[in-house]
Amino acid sequence: DVQSGMGDAVKGVTDFKNKVTAAASAVIAALGVGGVVTSIMQVTDAINQATAATGIAAQEFQYYAAGARMLGIEQEQLGAIFKDFQDKVGDFITTGGGEMLDFFEQVAPLVGVTADQFKNLSGAEGLQLYVDSLEKANLTQAEFNFFVESVADDASMLLPLLKNGGEGFKFFGDQAQQAGAILDQDLIRATTELKVQMNELSANFTGARNEIASMLIPTLLD
């Protein structure tokens, strides 16, 4: 009868949910603490978003992020700085104008740098070449600050890491690498896949709920 069928349907979904919950609990227990997995997923999400926006390889981006974190700059903000600079370079190469115009007219000729040298660089590499060029041009502090602040919001915050050929980035990046704090590509890929599968599992539960509701609600109305 209807009541028996409803009971069987609910019991079937409950049994399925209990089995999946038990399996998930076993995995989490094997890993040690569920928070570790959640934390890695959050870090991986931030890395994937930043690398997608900047075109910088995941491990390379983490290398830069290790130094930026020491200045209170998180991955999202760092990615925005690199992307902003890259966009400014692209604007100049495409249109011959924009906020990089002053640099290529006034500074680049003094140190022998051309727009072509920036063309195939990532935002991080380009920003480093930019600061290196400003240092070689022997500008006043006011001029130096003007050029840095004109190309990317908050770029001046990275100056302690960019000066002297980027020795600050190298110091903290090397430390992070030696400590194992930089996720390798295999772990990033596996964590991303795990999140995809968890989202799929959640969608399956939602679908099962909706299917049961479509059977129950008309019966209740009757």
Side-chain angles (χ1 to χ4, degrees):
D1 58 12
V2 174
Q3 186 173 6
S4 175
M6 290 167 54
D8 290 343
V10 173
K11 183 177 183 301
V13 173
T14 301
D15 288 346
F16 174 66
K17 182 176 180 181
N18 288 340
K19 288 177 182 177
V20 173
T21 301
S25 297
V27 172
I28 297 300
L31 291 172
V33 182
V36 173
V37 179
T38 301
S39 176
I40 290 294
M41 284 184 174
Q42 291 171 343
V43 170
T44 301
D45 279 347
I47 292 170
N48 286 337
Q49 290 169 12
T51 55
T54 62
I56 302 174
Q59 287 180 280
E60 182 184 358
F61 182 80
Q62 292 176 82
Y63 189 89
Y64 288 114
R69 196 174 298 113
M70 300 302 296
L71 299 178
I73 301 171
E74 294 303 322
Q75 291 181 141
E76 183 178 355
Q77 186 179 7
L78 179 65
I81 293 171
F82 288 157
K83 184 179 184 303
D84 197 14
F85 179 82
Q86 203 167 26
D87 289 345
K88 298 289 195 313
V89 172
D91 185 25
F92 178 82
I93 291 173
T94 303
T95 68
E99 292 170 87
M100 291 289 287
L101 179 62
D102 287 339
F103 170 79
F104 283 112
E105 284 187 343
Q106 300 174 33
V107 178
L110 299 176
V111 295
V113 173
T114 66
D116 282 341
Q117 289 176 257
F118 286 85
K119 185 178 290 185
N120 297 318
L121 298 181
S122 69
E125 294 167 334
L127 186 57
Q128 185 63 64
L129 176 58
Y130 184 78
V131 171
D132 290 347
S133 301
L134 295 177
E135 288 183 322
K136 291 176 184 175
N138 294 319
L139 305 173
T140 66
Q141 190 62 49
E143 291 171 330
F144 187 94
N145 291 340
F146 167 77
F147 280 108
V148 172
E149 292 171 1
S150 67
V151 292
D153 291 340
D154 300 330
S156 58
M157 296 172 64
L158 295 176
L159 280 178
L161 303 169
L162 289 162
K163 286 186 174 180
N164 301 320
E167 64 180 10
F169 273 129
K170 178 171 173 49
F171 176 78
F172 291 113
D174 286 347
Q175 277 194 332
Q177 209 159 38
Q178 291 166 11
I182 294 179
L183 306 183
D184 63 36
Q185 192 59 50
D186 288 341
L187 180 56
I188 292 173
R189 189 180 300 111
T191 305
T192 303
E193 176 62 22
L194 175 61
K195 183 174 182 181
V196 169
Q197 292 189 17
M198 289 180 68
N199 286 339
E200 184 179 351
L201 180 61
S202 177
N204 287 338
F205 275 128
T206 301
R209 179 204 64 191
N210 293 344
E211 188 173 348
I212 292 171
S214 69
M215 292 186 296
L216 291 180
I217 291 175
T219 302
L220 292 173
L221 285 173
D222 289 342

